Amino acid sequence: EEEEMVDGKKNKFLKSGKIVIVLQGKYAGRKAVITKVYEEGTKQRPYGHCLVLGIDRYPRKVTKQMSAKKIAKRSKMKPFVRVVNFNHIMPTRYNFDTDVKKFVSADSATNPTARTEAKKKSKKMLQERYATLLKNGKSKWFYQKLRF
């Protein structure tokens, strides 16, 4: 039975691949995907937290009559990699279908060069996924700015 503890409560839903909304700090209101969970915390961070990969700058609106070049330019986005306290994220019912662990390692939380590499890799992956979503007309919820 896989159960994690958060503030004494059982927590079964904060797993890798879960889409969350960041509630506090620089990236408040941004959507992110959990890549690694630390339920018990670590020595440096003695509280439950997780490593997330999110979208800092969302892609812009695209219409059918736009040229391929313009669509490519408007589909650019800026990712972020961050360690976030469980109290500062709100889980959603959505899961991310691609395995994000390949793009973001646990090392990227502390090492600046590893973080930059992770951002570059994940930016490419996010943009490719977004381009395929545009073609298929699938759920674009994760790639849209949260209206609040």
Side-chain angles (χ1 to χ4, degrees):
E1 215 175 308
E2 229 180 86
E3 294 175 350
E4 296 112 42
M5 300 291 278
V6 177
D7 301 334
K9 293 185 218 87
K10 285 190 172 96
N11 164 25
K12 295 180 183 175
F13 48 85
L14 287 177
K15 291 195 176 86
S16 177
K18 175 65 87 177
I19 295 179
V20 296
I21 295 171
V22 181
L23 302 174
Q24 300 287 331
K26 181 180 177 181
Y27 300 110
R30 301 285 195 279
K31 293 168 191 165
V33 185
I34 294 177
T35 56
K36 191 163 172 49
V37 181
Y38 302 92
E39 308 90 21
E40 305 301 314
T42 58
K43 222 169 205 157
Q44 293 94 343
R45 298 171 192 267
Y47 48 86
H49 60 278
C50 55
L51 181 65
V52 297
L53 161 69
I55 301 179
D56 183 12
R57 190 167 48 236
Y58 290 93
R60 296 173 68 192
K61 193 178 170 194
V62 169
T63 58
K64 278 187 178 133
Q65 56 264 46
M66 287 180 187
S67 68
K69 188 179 173 185
K70 190 165 192 173
I71 289 173
K73 200 167 177 66
R74 286 178 150 255
S75 298
K76 287 199 169 99
M77 55 191 89
K78 181 182 178 185
F80 67 87
V81 176
R82 197 67 177 242
V83 175
V84 188
N85 187 329
F86 283 150
N87 299 335
H88 301 160
I89 57 174
M90 183 173 77
T92 64
R93 64 183 184 176
Y94 301 103
N95 286 310
F96 201 68
D97 51 8
T98 313
D99 185 28
V100 282
K101 284 181 181 167
K102 289 184 280 193
F103 304 100
V104 182
S105 63
D107 182 40
S108 57
T110 52
N111 185 347
T113 51
R115 188 183 295 123
T116 311
E117 279 304 305
K119 279 193 219 168
K120 281 180 190 167
K121 282 185 199 166
S122 52
K123 180 178 184 173
K124 193 170 187 236
M125 178 268 297
L126 287 169
Q127 285 178 181
E128 282 169 6
R129 271 194 79 249
Y130 182 65
T132 55
L133 284 179
L134 283 177
K135 286 181 192 123
N136 303 344
K138 283 258 178 19
S139 169
K140 293 192 282 272
W141 181 82
F142 180 66
Y143 296 97
Q144 286 167 345
K145 208 174 201 172
L146 192 70
R147 297 315 234 175
F148 68 98

